[in-house]
Structure formats: structure tokens, C-alpha cells
Amino acid sequence: ISGTFGLILLVIFWIFFRESLVFLDNLQSFIFIPILFVLGFTISQTLKIIVGMTAFWLTDFRGLQQIIEIMILVFGGYVMPIHLLPRTIEIISYFTPLPYIIYFPILAFQGKLLGSEILKTACIQILWLFLLLVLYKYMFYKGIKKFTGVGQ
């Protein structure tokens, strides 16, 4: 649903603000920027799966889920650009996977990242994805051992 909503917004912006929309003009950007967005989406979903897997150990994990969602909104650059946060918080956020979900892909789309910075961002995203997948597998195997199902 959110993808459809985004497409509708893009069409509306295209109709009314066509002159101010800037699209990328080099081949490298067309190749790497969609990869950044796919990696960011995958990091986001993996992180949400990991939070959901805490239900193996917690009776009610919704509080933790809401805290993580708020952290993603603030430290991921959804609410406002990360560079507008206080410097200490900005630096701390760069050591989390959160800005690599949407903030850096958006910067690349806006043309604010050069070719080498785009490649560096993709490498960091791959690293975070690998680390989150390792954590996911670990939690899954530990959680399955703890899981007990009741029913017919």
C-alpha cells in the first residue's frame, strides 16, 4: 500500500512541480541508487523480523517494537535529515544501521553523494545486512529451542 501511495505522490508531484524535480543523468547513479534502496529495504525488514523474534522470550514485545519504530523514524532520517540532529546524536546514528535504511539512499538520489560515496554506502549496507542476518539466524535457532506449541 505504501508503495502505491508513493507512486501516486510521485505522479502528483510530476504534474504540479515538474520543473523542480531533478532526475539523475549518469549511468552509475541509475545502476547503484536502486541497489541502495533495495539494500535499505532489506535492512529495514530484517531489523523488524529480529524485533518480532523477541516474542520468543518476551510475553508482550509491542513496547520494544514501538521503541524501535521511533528510533528508526528519528535516527533513520524519516522525521528530519540526520545532519540537523545535535552533532553527538548524528555521530552515534552513523554507527547504527538506521541511516542506511532511507537517509543515505535519499542523499544519493538527490545527487549529494559522489560515486565513491555511493559505493561506500552500499558496502556499509551490505555489512549491516550481513550482521543482521547473522543475528537473525542466531535468534531463530535459540528461539526455536525455547518455543513450545500447544494445540491439536
Side-chain angles (χ1 to χ4, degrees):
I1 288 181
S2 61
T4 306
F5 182 68
L7 233 110
I8 292 169
L9 280 178
L10 181 65
V11 169
I12 291 171
F13 271 88
W14 178 257
I15 292 169
F16 292 108
F17 304 106
R18 186 176 310 173
E19 305 83 37
S20 60
L21 287 178
V22 177
F23 290 101
L24 303 168
D25 56 353
N26 61 11
L27 183 62
Q28 182 184 17
S29 297
F30 279 121
I31 292 171
F32 281 108
I33 290 176
I35 293 171
L36 292 182
F37 279 105
V38 168
L39 285 169
F41 176 78
T42 309
I43 290 170
S44 173
Q45 294 305 309
T46 306
L47 189 62
K48 289 176 183 181
I49 289 170
I50 289 170
V51 171
M53 290 175 81
T54 61
F56 282 128
W57 295 275
L58 301 175
T59 306
D60 187 7
F61 75 99
R62 288 178 293 187
L64 177 64
Q65 181 182 20
Q66 290 175 355
I67 290 170
I68 296 295
E69 287 295 325
I70 290 170
M71 288 177 62
I72 289 172
L73 288 174
V74 174
F75 298 119
Y78 284 86
V79 175
M80 65 183 185
I82 294 174
H83 68 272
L84 296 178
L85 295 172
R87 184 71 178 145
T88 306
I89 295 174
E90 177 186 1
I91 292 170
I92 291 170
S93 73
Y94 291 144
F95 288 101
T96 69
L98 305 179
Y100 299 96
I101 293 172
I102 196 71
Y103 180 70
F104 283 111
I106 291 294
L107 285 180
F109 184 74
Q110 291 175 336
K112 295 181 179 177
L113 294 181
L114 303 174
S116 62
E117 293 170 324
I118 291 174
L119 187 60
K120 176 184 169 189
T121 300
C123 289
I124 294 171
Q125 283 180 312
I126 291 169
L127 175 68
W128 273 115
L129 186 57
F130 174 76
L131 293 172
L132 289 172
L133 286 173
V134 168
L135 179 61
Y136 161 76
K137 286 190 117 187
Y138 176 77
M139 287 181 70
F140 180 77
Y141 289 120
K142 289 292 185 181
I144 285 297
K145 288 180 182 177
K146 182 173 175 32
F147 178 72
T148 55
V150 183
Q152 297 179 355

